[in-house]
Amino acid sequence: MSDFAFAYFNSELDKLAVPELTQILNKVKSLISSKTNASQNSFSRELGGLEEDFYISPDFDETPECFKEYM
């Protein structure tokens, strides 16, 4: 948000009475909680998904022949 937009937003908030500000605050809180709940429910992770499909060669830690002269 630009400085101008932020200043304008604040000046408009200054014109409102406390009950209206309370309504705005409650609406913002409900939007944040609904966004948080939606993001938590949309994706869940499962551990151990690659146990059967993952393979590492026994010589994984050995230096390849083509790089031995640089070591």
Side-chain angles (χ1 to χ4, degrees):
M1 182 182 291
S2 69
D3 291 336
F4 175 75
F6 187 72
Y8 176 76
F9 183 72
N10 280 334
S11 69
E12 292 298 311
L13 286 177
D14 287 338
K15 297 175 186 176
L16 298 175
V18 173
E20 295 166 329
L21 291 172
T22 305
Q23 289 177 348
I24 292 172
L25 178 63
N26 291 336
K27 181 64 177 178
V28 169
K29 284 181 180 179
S30 70
L31 289 172
I32 290 172
S33 69
S34 68
K35 181 180 177 185
T36 303
N37 292 338
S39 66
Q40 288 175 352
N41 295 334
S42 66
F43 181 73
S44 64
R45 293 183 177 172
E46 182 178 320
L47 296 176
L50 292 175
E51 288 175 344
E52 297 174 8
D53 297 331
F54 194 73
Y55 172 76
I56 294 179
S57 175
D59 64 347
F60 177 78
D61 289 329
E62 295 179 19
T63 305
E65 291 294 325
C66 60
F67 291 114
K68 284 190 177 184
E69 64 186 70
Y70 300 107
M71 300 293 286

